[in-house]
Short mmCIF file of all heavy atoms in Angstrom, two decimals:
data_model
loop_
_atom_site.label_atom_id
_atom_site.label_comp_id
_atom_site.label_asym_id
_atom_site.label_seq_id
_atom_site.Cartn_x
_atom_site.Cartn_y
_atom_site.Cartn_z
N ARG H 117 14.78 -120.80 1.33
CA ARG H 117 16.21 -120.96 1.54
C ARG H 117 16.40 -122.03 2.61
O ARG H 117 15.78 -121.98 3.66
CB ARG H 117 16.83 -119.64 1.98
CG ARG H 117 18.32 -119.77 2.23
CD ARG H 117 18.93 -118.49 2.67
NE ARG H 117 18.92 -117.60 1.52
CZ ARG H 117 19.22 -116.33 1.58
NH1 ARG H 117 19.50 -115.77 2.72
NH2 ARG H 117 19.22 -115.60 0.50
N ILE H 118 17.30 -122.94 2.31
CA ILE H 118 17.68 -123.99 3.25
C ILE H 118 19.17 -123.83 3.51
O ILE H 118 19.96 -123.79 2.56
CB ILE H 118 17.41 -125.40 2.67
CG1 ILE H 118 15.93 -125.56 2.33
CG2 ILE H 118 17.88 -126.48 3.63
CD1 ILE H 118 15.64 -126.76 1.46
N VAL H 119 19.56 -123.73 4.76
CA VAL H 119 20.97 -123.58 5.11
C VAL H 119 21.36 -124.73 6.03
O VAL H 119 20.69 -124.99 7.03
CB VAL H 119 21.23 -122.23 5.81
CG1 VAL H 119 22.70 -122.11 6.21
CG2 VAL H 119 20.81 -121.07 4.92
N ILE H 120 22.43 -125.39 5.67
CA ILE H 120 22.95 -126.51 6.46
C ILE H 120 24.39 -126.19 6.82
O ILE H 120 25.21 -125.94 5.93
CB ILE H 120 22.88 -127.82 5.66
CG1 ILE H 120 21.44 -128.10 5.25
CG2 ILE H 120 23.47 -128.98 6.46
CD1 ILE H 120 21.29 -128.98 4.05
N GLU H 121 24.69 -126.17 8.10
CA GLU H 121 26.04 -125.90 8.55
C GLU H 121 26.56 -127.10 9.33
O GLU H 121 25.80 -127.79 10.00
CB GLU H 121 26.07 -124.67 9.46
CG GLU H 121 25.76 -123.38 8.73
CD GLU H 121 25.91 -122.17 9.62
OE1 GLU H 121 27.03 -121.94 10.12
OE2 GLU H 121 24.90 -121.48 9.82
N ASN H 122 27.85 -127.33 9.22
CA ASN H 122 28.44 -128.41 9.99
C ASN H 122 29.76 -127.96 10.61
O ASN H 122 30.27 -126.89 10.29
CB ASN H 122 28.62 -129.68 9.13
CG ASN H 122 29.65 -129.50 8.05
OD1 ASN H 122 30.74 -129.01 8.27
ND2 ASN H 122 29.31 -129.90 6.83
N THR H 123 30.27 -128.77 11.48
CA THR H 123 31.56 -128.50 12.12
C THR H 123 32.58 -129.54 11.68
O THR H 123 33.48 -129.89 12.42
CB THR H 123 31.42 -128.50 13.66
OG1 THR H 123 30.89 -129.77 14.06
CG2 THR H 123 30.51 -127.39 14.12
N GLY H 124 32.41 -130.02 10.45
CA GLY H 124 33.28 -131.06 9.92
C GLY H 124 34.67 -130.57 9.57
O GLY H 124 35.13 -129.53 10.05
N ILE H 125 35.33 -131.30 8.70
CA ILE H 125 36.74 -131.03 8.38
C ILE H 125 36.93 -129.79 7.53
O ILE H 125 38.04 -129.31 7.37
CB ILE H 125 37.41 -132.23 7.72
CG1 ILE H 125 36.75 -132.56 6.38
CG2 ILE H 125 37.43 -133.42 8.64
CD1 ILE H 125 37.47 -133.62 5.58
N GLY H 126 35.86 -129.25 6.97
CA GLY H 126 35.97 -128.04 6.16
C GLY H 126 36.48 -128.32 4.76
O GLY H 126 36.83 -129.44 4.41
N LEU H 127 36.50 -127.26 3.94
CA LEU H 127 36.93 -127.37 2.55
C LEU H 127 37.93 -126.26 2.25
O LEU H 127 37.77 -125.12 2.70
CB LEU H 127 35.73 -127.22 1.62
CG LEU H 127 34.66 -128.29 1.74
CD1 LEU H 127 33.34 -127.79 1.19
CD2 LEU H 127 35.10 -129.54 1.02
N THR H 128 38.93 -126.58 1.46
CA THR H 128 39.86 -125.56 1.00
C THR H 128 39.21 -124.80 -0.15
O THR H 128 38.22 -125.25 -0.73
CB THR H 128 41.18 -126.19 0.51
OG1 THR H 128 40.90 -126.98 -0.66
CG2 THR H 128 41.84 -127.04 1.59
N SER H 129 39.78 -123.67 -0.54
CA SER H 129 39.23 -122.91 -1.66
C SER H 129 39.32 -123.72 -2.95
O SER H 129 38.43 -123.64 -3.80
CB SER H 129 39.95 -121.57 -1.82
OG SER H 129 41.33 -121.75 -1.99
N GLU H 130 40.34 -124.54 -3.10
CA GLU H 130 40.47 -125.40 -4.28
C GLU H 130 39.36 -126.44 -4.31
O GLU H 130 38.80 -126.73 -5.37
CB GLU H 130 41.84 -126.09 -4.31
CG GLU H 130 43.01 -125.15 -4.51
CD GLU H 130 43.48 -124.49 -3.21
OE1 GLU H 130 43.11 -124.95 -2.10
OE2 GLU H 130 44.22 -123.50 -3.30
N GLU H 131 39.04 -127.01 -3.15
CA GLU H 131 37.97 -128.00 -3.09
C GLU H 131 36.61 -127.36 -3.34
O GLU H 131 35.77 -127.94 -4.03
CB GLU H 131 37.98 -128.71 -1.74
CG GLU H 131 39.17 -129.62 -1.56
CD GLU H 131 39.31 -130.15 -0.14
OE1 GLU H 131 38.91 -129.45 0.82
OE2 GLU H 131 39.84 -131.26 -0.01
N LEU H 132 36.40 -126.16 -2.82
CA LEU H 132 35.14 -125.46 -3.06
C LEU H 132 34.91 -125.23 -4.55
O LEU H 132 33.79 -125.36 -5.05
CB LEU H 132 35.11 -124.12 -2.32
CG LEU H 132 34.82 -124.19 -0.83
CD1 LEU H 132 35.09 -122.83 -0.18
CD2 LEU H 132 33.40 -124.65 -0.56
N ALA H 133 35.97 -124.91 -5.27
CA ALA H 133 35.87 -124.65 -6.71
C ALA H 133 35.44 -125.88 -7.49
O ALA H 133 34.81 -125.78 -8.54
CB ALA H 133 37.19 -124.12 -7.24
N LYS H 134 35.75 -127.08 -6.99
CA LYS H 134 35.44 -128.33 -7.68
C LYS H 134 34.26 -129.08 -7.09
O LYS H 134 33.84 -130.10 -7.63
CB LYS H 134 36.66 -129.26 -7.61
CG LYS H 134 37.90 -128.72 -8.25
CD LYS H 134 39.03 -129.71 -8.03
CE LYS H 134 40.38 -129.14 -8.40
NZ LYS H 134 41.46 -130.07 -8.06
N LEU H 135 33.71 -128.60 -5.99
CA LEU H 135 32.74 -129.35 -5.21
C LEU H 135 31.54 -129.84 -6.00
O LEU H 135 31.09 -130.96 -5.82
CB LEU H 135 32.26 -128.49 -4.03
CG LEU H 135 31.29 -129.14 -3.06
CD1 LEU H 135 31.92 -130.38 -2.42
CD2 LEU H 135 30.88 -128.14 -2.00
N PHE H 136 31.01 -129.02 -6.90
CA PHE H 136 29.80 -129.39 -7.62
C PHE H 136 30.07 -129.95 -9.00
O PHE H 136 29.17 -130.05 -9.83
CB PHE H 136 28.87 -128.17 -7.71
CG PHE H 136 28.39 -127.71 -6.35
CD1 PHE H 136 28.94 -126.58 -5.77
CD2 PHE H 136 27.42 -128.40 -5.66
CE1 PHE H 136 28.51 -126.15 -4.52
CE2 PHE H 136 26.99 -127.99 -4.42
CZ PHE H 136 27.53 -126.86 -3.85
N SER H 137 31.31 -130.34 -9.27
CA SER H 137 31.65 -130.93 -10.56
C SER H 137 31.09 -132.36 -10.62
O SER H 137 30.58 -132.88 -9.65
CB SER H 137 33.16 -130.94 -10.77
OG SER H 137 33.78 -131.82 -9.85
N GLY H 138 31.22 -132.98 -11.77
CA GLY H 138 30.69 -134.33 -11.95
C GLY H 138 31.27 -135.35 -11.00
O GLY H 138 30.61 -136.30 -10.62
N TYR H 139 32.50 -135.17 -10.62
CA TYR H 139 33.13 -136.09 -9.68
C TYR H 139 34.04 -135.28 -8.77
O TYR H 139 35.00 -134.66 -9.24
CB TYR H 139 33.95 -137.16 -10.41
CG TYR H 139 34.65 -138.11 -9.47
CD1 TYR H 139 33.94 -139.12 -8.84
CD2 TYR H 139 36.00 -137.96 -9.19
CE1 TYR H 139 34.59 -139.98 -7.96
CE2 TYR H 139 36.64 -138.82 -8.30
CZ TYR H 139 35.92 -139.83 -7.69
OH TYR H 139 36.54 -140.66 -6.81
N PHE H 140 33.73 -135.28 -7.50
CA PHE H 140 34.53 -134.55 -6.53
C PHE H 140 35.42 -135.52 -5.80
O PHE H 140 34.95 -136.45 -5.14
CB PHE H 140 33.61 -133.83 -5.53
CG PHE H 140 34.36 -133.13 -4.42
CD1 PHE H 140 35.09 -132.00 -4.69
CD2 PHE H 140 34.32 -133.62 -3.14
CE1 PHE H 140 35.79 -131.35 -3.69
CE2 PHE H 140 35.01 -132.98 -2.12
CZ PHE H 140 35.75 -131.85 -2.40
N GLU H 141 36.72 -135.34 -5.93
CA GLU H 141 37.67 -136.21 -5.25
C GLU H 141 37.91 -135.68 -3.85
O GLU H 141 38.44 -134.58 -3.66
CB GLU H 141 38.99 -136.27 -6.01
CG GLU H 141 39.91 -137.33 -5.48
CD GLU H 141 41.11 -137.54 -6.39
OE1 GLU H 141 40.97 -137.38 -7.60
OE2 GLU H 141 42.17 -137.87 -5.86
N ARG H 142 37.47 -136.45 -2.88
CA ARG H 142 37.62 -136.03 -1.48
C ARG H 142 39.08 -136.03 -1.07
O ARG H 142 39.88 -136.78 -1.60
CB ARG H 142 36.84 -136.97 -0.57
CG ARG H 142 35.35 -136.95 -0.88
CD ARG H 142 34.60 -137.94 -0.08
NE ARG H 142 35.06 -139.29 -0.39
CZ ARG H 142 34.86 -140.33 0.38
NH1 ARG H 142 34.22 -140.21 1.50
NH2 ARG H 142 35.31 -141.51 0.04
N GLY H 143 39.42 -135.19 -0.13
CA GLY H 143 40.79 -135.12 0.37
C GLY H 143 41.16 -136.36 1.16
O GLY H 143 40.31 -137.17 1.55
N LYS H 144 42.43 -136.53 1.42
CA LYS H 144 42.92 -137.71 2.14
C LYS H 144 42.32 -137.81 3.54
O LYS H 144 42.03 -138.90 4.02
CB LYS H 144 44.45 -137.69 2.23
CG LYS H 144 45.12 -137.79 0.89
CD LYS H 144 44.79 -139.11 0.22
CE LYS H 144 45.46 -139.18 -1.14
NZ LYS H 144 44.93 -140.27 -1.95
N GLU H 145 42.12 -136.69 4.21
CA GLU H 145 41.55 -136.71 5.55
C GLU H 145 40.12 -137.26 5.53
O GLU H 145 39.74 -138.08 6.36
CB GLU H 145 41.57 -135.32 6.17
CG GLU H 145 41.13 -135.30 7.61
CD GLU H 145 41.29 -133.93 8.24
OE1 GLU H 145 41.89 -133.04 7.63
OE2 GLU H 145 40.81 -133.77 9.37
N ALA H 146 39.33 -136.84 4.56
CA ALA H 146 37.95 -137.32 4.44
C ALA H 146 37.93 -138.81 4.10
O ALA H 146 37.09 -139.55 4.60
CB ALA H 146 37.20 -136.53 3.37
N GLU H 147 38.84 -139.25 3.28
CA GLU H 147 38.90 -140.67 2.92
C GLU H 147 39.21 -141.53 4.14
O GLU H 147 38.68 -142.62 4.28
CB GLU H 147 39.94 -140.90 1.82
CG GLU H 147 39.49 -140.36 0.48
CD GLU H 147 40.54 -140.52 -0.59
OE1 GLU H 147 41.64 -141.07 -0.30
OE2 GLU H 147 40.29 -140.10 -1.72
N ARG H 148 40.05 -141.04 5.04
CA ARG H 148 40.36 -141.80 6.25
C ARG H 148 39.16 -141.88 7.17
O ARG H 148 38.91 -142.88 7.81
CB ARG H 148 41.53 -141.16 7.00
CG ARG H 148 42.88 -141.63 6.52
CD ARG H 148 43.98 -141.10 7.41
NE ARG H 148 44.14 -139.66 7.16
CZ ARG H 148 44.20 -138.74 8.10
NH1 ARG H 148 44.18 -139.06 9.36
NH2 ARG H 148 44.32 -137.47 7.79
N LEU H 149 38.41 -140.78 7.25
CA LEU H 149 37.28 -140.73 8.17
C LEU H 149 36.04 -141.42 7.64
O LEU H 149 35.28 -142.02 8.39
CB LEU H 149 36.95 -139.26 8.50
CG LEU H 149 38.04 -138.49 9.23
CD1 LEU H 149 37.66 -137.02 9.32
CD2 LEU H 149 38.26 -139.06 10.62
N TYR H 150 35.79 -141.32 6.35
CA TYR H 150 34.58 -141.86 5.74
C TYR H 150 34.97 -142.76 4.58
O TYR H 150 35.42 -142.28 3.55
CB TYR H 150 33.69 -140.72 5.23
CG TYR H 150 33.47 -139.65 6.26
CD1 TYR H 150 34.14 -138.43 6.18
CD2 TYR H 150 32.62 -139.87 7.34
CE1 TYR H 150 33.96 -137.45 7.13
CE2 TYR H 150 32.43 -138.88 8.30
CZ TYR H 150 33.10 -137.67 8.18
OH TYR H 150 32.91 -136.71 9.14
N THR H 151 34.79 -144.04 4.75
CA THR H 151 35.30 -144.98 3.76
C THR H 151 34.35 -145.19 2.58
O THR H 151 34.75 -145.74 1.58
CB THR H 151 35.59 -146.34 4.41
OG1 THR H 151 34.38 -146.83 5.01
CG2 THR H 151 36.67 -146.22 5.46
N THR H 152 33.09 -144.78 2.69
CA THR H 152 32.17 -144.99 1.58
C THR H 152 31.95 -143.69 0.83
O THR H 152 32.32 -142.62 1.28
CB THR H 152 30.82 -145.51 2.09
OG1 THR H 152 30.25 -144.54 2.97
CG2 THR H 152 30.98 -146.83 2.82
N GLY H 153 31.32 -143.80 -0.32
CA GLY H 153 31.00 -142.63 -1.12
C GLY H 153 31.84 -142.58 -2.38
O GLY H 153 32.96 -143.07 -2.42
N ARG H 154 31.24 -142.00 -3.42
CA ARG H 154 31.91 -141.93 -4.71
C ARG H 154 32.17 -140.50 -5.17
O ARG H 154 32.67 -140.27 -6.25
CB ARG H 154 31.09 -142.66 -5.78
CG ARG H 154 30.92 -144.13 -5.48
CD ARG H 154 32.25 -144.86 -5.67
NE ARG H 154 32.14 -146.24 -5.30
CZ ARG H 154 32.72 -146.79 -4.24
NH1 ARG H 154 33.43 -146.07 -3.43
NH2 ARG H 154 32.58 -148.06 -3.99
N GLY H 155 31.76 -139.51 -4.38
CA GLY H 155 32.05 -138.12 -4.72
C GLY H 155 31.13 -137.51 -5.75
O GLY H 155 31.49 -136.52 -6.38
N ILE H 156 29.93 -138.08 -5.95
CA ILE H 156 29.01 -137.53 -6.94
C ILE H 156 27.77 -136.89 -6.33
O ILE H 156 26.98 -136.28 -7.02
CB ILE H 156 28.58 -138.59 -7.98
CG1 ILE H 156 27.82 -139.73 -7.30
CG2 ILE H 156 29.78 -139.11 -8.75
CD1 ILE H 156 27.16 -140.68 -8.26
N GLY H 157 27.61 -136.99 -5.03
CA GLY H 157 26.40 -136.52 -4.36
C GLY H 157 26.12 -135.04 -4.55
O GLY H 157 24.97 -134.64 -4.80
N MET H 158 27.14 -134.19 -4.48
CA MET H 158 26.92 -132.76 -4.62
C MET H 158 26.57 -132.40 -6.06
O MET H 158 25.77 -131.50 -6.31
CB MET H 158 28.13 -131.98 -4.13
CG MET H 158 28.38 -132.14 -2.64
SD MET H 158 26.95 -131.80 -1.59
CE MET H 158 26.86 -130.03 -1.70
N ALA H 159 27.14 -133.10 -7.03
CA ALA H 159 26.80 -132.85 -8.43
C ALA H 159 25.35 -133.24 -8.71
O ALA H 159 24.63 -132.53 -9.41
CB ALA H 159 27.75 -133.62 -9.36
N VAL H 160 24.91 -134.36 -8.16
CA VAL H 160 23.52 -134.79 -8.31
C VAL H 160 22.59 -133.77 -7.65
O VAL H 160 21.58 -133.36 -8.23
CB VAL H 160 23.31 -136.20 -7.72
CG1 VAL H 160 21.84 -136.56 -7.66
CG2 VAL H 160 24.09 -137.23 -8.51
N THR H 161 22.95 -133.34 -6.45
CA THR H 161 22.15 -132.34 -5.74
C THR H 161 22.05 -131.06 -6.55
O THR H 161 20.96 -130.47 -6.69
CB THR H 161 22.75 -132.06 -4.36
OG1 THR H 161 22.81 -133.28 -3.62
CG2 THR H 161 21.94 -131.03 -3.59
N LYS H 162 23.16 -130.60 -7.11
CA LYS H 162 23.16 -129.39 -7.93
C LYS H 162 22.20 -129.53 -9.10
O LYS H 162 21.44 -128.61 -9.41
CB LYS H 162 24.57 -129.12 -8.45
CG LYS H 162 24.67 -127.94 -9.38
CD LYS H 162 26.08 -127.79 -9.90
CE LYS H 162 26.19 -126.72 -10.96
NZ LYS H 162 27.54 -126.67 -11.50
N ASN H 163 22.20 -130.68 -9.77
CA ASN H 163 21.31 -130.90 -10.90
C ASN H 163 19.84 -130.88 -10.48
O ASN H 163 18.99 -130.34 -11.20
CB ASN H 163 21.64 -132.21 -11.61
CG ASN H 163 22.94 -132.11 -12.40
OD1 ASN H 163 23.32 -131.04 -12.84
ND2 ASN H 163 23.61 -133.23 -12.56
N ILE H 164 19.53 -131.45 -9.34
CA ILE H 164 18.15 -131.44 -8.84
C ILE H 164 17.71 -130.02 -8.52
O ILE H 164 16.62 -129.58 -8.90
CB ILE H 164 18.00 -132.36 -7.61
CG1 ILE H 164 18.19 -133.82 -8.02
CG2 ILE H 164 16.64 -132.15 -6.94
CD1 ILE H 164 18.33 -134.78 -6.86
N VAL H 165 18.56 -129.29 -7.82
CA VAL H 165 18.23 -127.90 -7.45
C VAL H 165 18.06 -127.05 -8.71
O VAL H 165 17.11 -126.27 -8.82
CB VAL H 165 19.31 -127.32 -6.51
CG1 VAL H 165 19.14 -125.83 -6.32
CG2 VAL H 165 19.28 -128.04 -5.17
N ARG H 166 18.94 -127.19 -9.67
CA ARG H 166 18.83 -126.43 -10.93
C ARG H 166 17.56 -126.79 -11.70
O ARG H 166 16.96 -125.93 -12.34
CB ARG H 166 20.05 -126.66 -11.81
CG ARG H 166 21.22 -125.83 -11.39
CD ARG H 166 22.29 -125.88 -12.45
NE ARG H 166 23.34 -124.92 -12.15
CZ ARG H 166 24.46 -124.84 -12.84
NH1 ARG H 166 24.67 -125.64 -13.86
NH2 ARG H 166 25.37 -123.95 -12.51
N ALA H 167 17.18 -128.05 -11.66
CA ALA H 167 15.95 -128.49 -12.35
C ALA H 167 14.72 -127.79 -11.77
O ALA H 167 13.70 -127.67 -12.45
CB ALA H 167 15.79 -130.00 -12.25
N HIS H 168 14.84 -127.31 -10.56
CA HIS H 168 13.74 -126.58 -9.90
C HIS H 168 14.00 -125.07 -9.91
O HIS H 168 13.43 -124.33 -9.12
CB HIS H 168 13.57 -127.09 -8.46
CG HIS H 168 13.05 -128.47 -8.41
ND1 HIS H 168 11.71 -128.77 -8.54
CD2 HIS H 168 13.69 -129.67 -8.27
CE1 HIS H 168 11.54 -130.08 -8.46
NE2 HIS H 168 12.73 -130.64 -8.31
N ASN H 169 14.89 -124.63 -10.82
CA ASN H 169 15.24 -123.21 -10.99
C ASN H 169 15.84 -122.60 -9.72
O ASN H 169 15.63 -121.42 -9.43
CB ASN H 169 14.04 -122.39 -11.46
CG ASN H 169 13.55 -122.86 -12.81
OD1 ASN H 169 14.34 -123.05 -13.72
ND2 ASN H 169 12.25 -123.07 -12.93
N GLY H 170 16.58 -123.40 -8.99
CA GLY H 170 17.19 -122.92 -7.77
C GLY H 170 18.69 -122.79 -7.88
O GLY H 170 19.28 -123.00 -8.95
N LYS H 171 19.30 -122.42 -6.77
CA LYS H 171 20.75 -122.27 -6.68
C LYS H 171 21.25 -123.02 -5.46
O LYS H 171 20.54 -123.14 -4.47
CB LYS H 171 21.12 -120.80 -6.50
CG LYS H 171 20.69 -119.89 -7.61
CD LYS H 171 21.02 -118.46 -7.25
CE LYS H 171 20.44 -117.49 -8.27
NZ LYS H 171 20.64 -116.10 -7.87
N ILE H 172 22.48 -123.49 -5.55
CA ILE H 172 23.13 -124.13 -4.41
C ILE H 172 24.57 -123.65 -4.38
O ILE H 172 25.21 -123.49 -5.42
CB ILE H 172 23.06 -125.67 -4.48
CG1 ILE H 172 23.69 -126.29 -3.23
CG2 ILE H 172 23.69 -126.21 -5.75
CD1 ILE H 172 23.45 -127.78 -3.08
N TYR H 173 25.04 -123.37 -3.19
CA TYR H 173 26.44 -122.98 -3.05
C TYR H 173 26.95 -123.39 -1.68
O TYR H 173 26.19 -123.69 -0.77
CB TYR H 173 26.65 -121.50 -3.33
CG TYR H 173 25.75 -120.55 -2.59
CD1 TYR H 173 26.13 -119.99 -1.39
CD2 TYR H 173 24.49 -120.22 -3.11
CE1 TYR H 173 25.29 -119.11 -0.71
CE2 TYR H 173 23.66 -119.34 -2.45
CZ TYR H 173 24.06 -118.79 -1.25
OH TYR H 173 23.23 -117.93 -0.59
N ALA H 174 28.27 -123.41 -1.58
CA ALA H 174 28.93 -123.83 -0.34
C ALA H 174 29.96 -122.79 0.06
O ALA H 174 30.55 -122.12 -0.79
CB ALA H 174 29.60 -125.19 -0.52
N GLU H 175 30.17 -122.69 1.37
CA GLU H 175 31.19 -121.79 1.92
C GLU H 175 31.95 -122.54 3.00
O GLU H 175 31.38 -123.39 3.68
CB GLU H 175 30.53 -120.58 2.57
CG GLU H 175 29.64 -119.77 1.64
CD GLU H 175 28.83 -118.75 2.42
OE1 GLU H 175 29.43 -117.73 2.84
OE2 GLU H 175 27.63 -118.99 2.60
N SER H 176 33.22 -122.23 3.13
CA SER H 176 34.03 -122.79 4.19
C SER H 176 35.23 -121.88 4.41
O SER H 176 35.78 -121.34 3.44
CB SER H 176 34.50 -124.21 3.86
OG SER H 176 35.31 -124.73 4.90
N GLU H 177 35.60 -121.72 5.64
CA GLU H 177 36.78 -120.90 5.95
C GLU H 177 38.06 -121.73 5.93
O GLU H 177 39.12 -121.24 6.28
CB GLU H 177 36.59 -120.22 7.30
CG GLU H 177 35.47 -119.20 7.27
CD GLU H 177 35.31 -118.47 8.59
OE1 GLU H 177 36.21 -118.56 9.45
OE2 GLU H 177 34.28 -117.82 8.75
N GLY H 178 37.96 -122.99 5.54
CA GLY H 178 39.14 -123.84 5.41
C GLY H 178 39.13 -125.04 6.33
O GLY H 178 38.15 -125.32 7.00
N ARG H 179 40.23 -125.75 6.33
CA ARG H 179 40.37 -126.97 7.13
C ARG H 179 40.07 -126.72 8.60
O ARG H 179 40.52 -125.74 9.18
CB ARG H 179 41.78 -127.52 7.01
CG ARG H 179 42.03 -128.20 5.72
CD ARG H 179 41.41 -129.61 5.74
NE ARG H 179 41.64 -130.23 4.46
CZ ARG H 179 40.67 -130.57 3.63
NH1 ARG H 179 39.43 -130.33 3.93
NH2 ARG H 179 40.95 -131.16 2.50
N GLY H 180 39.30 -127.63 9.16
CA GLY H 180 38.98 -127.58 10.57
C GLY H 180 37.92 -126.56 10.94
O GLY H 180 37.62 -126.37 12.11
N LYS H 181 37.32 -125.90 9.94
CA LYS H 181 36.38 -124.82 10.21
C LYS H 181 34.95 -125.14 9.78
O LYS H 181 34.09 -124.28 9.78
CB LYS H 181 36.84 -123.55 9.50
CG LYS H 181 38.27 -123.19 9.80
CD LYS H 181 38.36 -121.93 10.57
CE LYS H 181 39.82 -121.68 10.90
NZ LYS H 181 40.15 -120.35 11.13
N GLY H 182 34.69 -126.39 9.39
CA GLY H 182 33.34 -126.76 8.98
C GLY H 182 32.97 -126.16 7.63
O GLY H 182 33.81 -125.61 6.92
N ALA H 183 31.69 -126.29 7.28
CA ALA H 183 31.21 -125.78 6.01
C ALA H 183 29.75 -125.37 6.15
O ALA H 183 29.04 -125.81 7.07
CB ALA H 183 31.35 -126.84 4.92
N LYS H 184 29.32 -124.55 5.22
CA LYS H 184 27.94 -124.07 5.19
C LYS H 184 27.43 -124.25 3.76
O LYS H 184 28.07 -123.80 2.80
CB LYS H 184 27.89 -122.61 5.59
CG LYS H 184 26.52 -121.97 5.52
CD LYS H 184 26.63 -120.52 5.98
CE LYS H 184 25.35 -119.76 5.84
NZ LYS H 184 25.51 -118.37 6.29
N PHE H 185 26.30 -124.93 3.62
CA PHE H 185 25.70 -125.19 2.32
C PHE H 185 24.35 -124.49 2.27
O PHE H 185 23.55 -124.62 3.19
CB PHE H 185 25.51 -126.70 2.11
CG PHE H 185 26.81 -127.46 2.17
CD1 PHE H 185 27.31 -127.91 3.37
CD2 PHE H 185 27.54 -127.70 1.01
CE1 PHE H 185 28.51 -128.60 3.44
CE2 PHE H 185 28.73 -128.39 1.06
CZ PHE H 185 29.22 -128.84 2.28
N THR H 186 24.11 -123.76 1.18
CA THR H 186 22.86 -123.01 1.05
C THR H 186 22.16 -123.43 -0.24
O THR H 186 22.80 -123.48 -1.31
CB THR H 186 23.13 -121.49 1.02
OG1 THR H 186 23.82 -121.14 2.21
CG2 THR H 186 21.84 -120.71 0.93
N ILE H 187 20.88 -123.73 -0.12
CA ILE H 187 20.03 -124.04 -1.26
C ILE H 187 18.94 -122.98 -1.30
O ILE H 187 18.28 -122.73 -0.30
CB ILE H 187 19.39 -125.44 -1.13
CG1 ILE H 187 20.47 -126.51 -1.10
CG2 ILE H 187 18.40 -125.69 -2.26
CD1 ILE H 187 19.95 -127.89 -0.73
N GLU H 188 18.77 -122.37 -2.46
CA GLU H 188 17.71 -121.37 -2.63
C GLU H 188 16.78 -121.86 -3.73
O GLU H 188 17.22 -122.15 -4.85
CB GLU H 188 18.31 -120.02 -3.02
CG GLU H 188 19.17 -119.43 -1.92
CD GLU H 188 19.83 -118.12 -2.32
OE1 GLU H 188 19.87 -117.80 -3.53
OE2 GLU H 188 20.32 -117.44 -1.41
N LEU H 189 15.50 -121.96 -3.40
CA LEU H 189 14.50 -122.40 -4.37
C LEU H 189 13.43 -121.32 -4.48
O LEU H 189 13.04 -120.72 -3.49
CB LEU H 189 13.84 -123.71 -3.89
CG LEU H 189 14.77 -124.91 -3.80
CD1 LEU H 189 14.09 -126.05 -3.09
CD2 LEU H 189 15.21 -125.33 -5.19
N PRO H 190 12.95 -121.08 -5.71
CA PRO H 190 11.92 -120.06 -5.88
C PRO H 190 10.57 -120.56 -5.36
O PRO H 190 10.29 -121.75 -5.38
CB PRO H 190 11.88 -119.86 -7.40
CG PRO H 190 12.34 -121.16 -7.95
CD PRO H 190 13.34 -121.70 -6.96
N ILE H 191 9.78 -119.61 -4.90
CA ILE H 191 8.40 -119.92 -4.50
C ILE H 191 7.53 -119.60 -5.70
O ILE H 191 7.51 -118.46 -6.17
CB ILE H 191 7.99 -119.10 -3.28
CG1 ILE H 191 8.85 -119.46 -2.10
CG2 ILE H 191 6.50 -119.32 -2.97
CD1 ILE H 191 8.60 -118.62 -0.86
N THR H 192 6.83 -120.60 -6.20
CA THR H 192 5.97 -120.37 -7.37
C THR H 192 4.54 -120.74 -7.10
O THR H 192 4.22 -121.46 -6.22
CB THR H 192 6.48 -121.17 -8.59
OG1 THR H 192 6.55 -122.55 -8.22
CG2 THR H 192 7.82 -120.67 -9.01
#
């Protein structure tokens, strides 16, 4: 298990629901703070983790509360 936590801008429940889709549209606040990126990184990560029979998920208590990302990979 790999857990990554940050104190960033956080994610709303609506954003969490779409986070691992093929294209994640970042919120206006994120666009102002980070000018690069195309919103596909989490979808690519999800595909890599799944290819290794693992799971990935994200949690956030909302705006201004950061986020927590967990990757679980089997030991074989």
Side-chain angles (χ1 to χ4, degrees):
R117 179 181 289 171
I118 301 166
V119 179
I120 301 156
E121 292 185 61
N122 68 47
T123 58
I125 63 173
L127 297 159
T128 66
S129 57
E130 293 84 15
E131 290 171 330
L132 282 169
K134 299 177 191 175
L135 183 61
F136 296 104
S137 67
Y139 178 77
F140 175 71
E141 190 170 328
R142 299 175 298 161
K144 296 297 179 194
E145 186 174 351
E147 288 177 0
R148 273 187 288 132
L149 297 172
Y150 311 104
T151 58
T152 61
R154 298 289 176 249
I156 62 170
M158 295 308 286
V160 171
T161 302
K162 176 183 173 184
N163 287 333
I164 293 169
V165 170
R166 280 192 171 173
H168 291 278
N169 298 313
K171 299 175 188 175
I172 183 170
Y173 50 94
E175 303 169 74
S176 179
E177 293 183 14
R179 284 282 179 244
K181 308 247 177 156
K184 177 179 175 180
F185 300 87
T186 303
I187 298 170
E188 295 177 344
L189 295 169
I191 297 175
T192 56

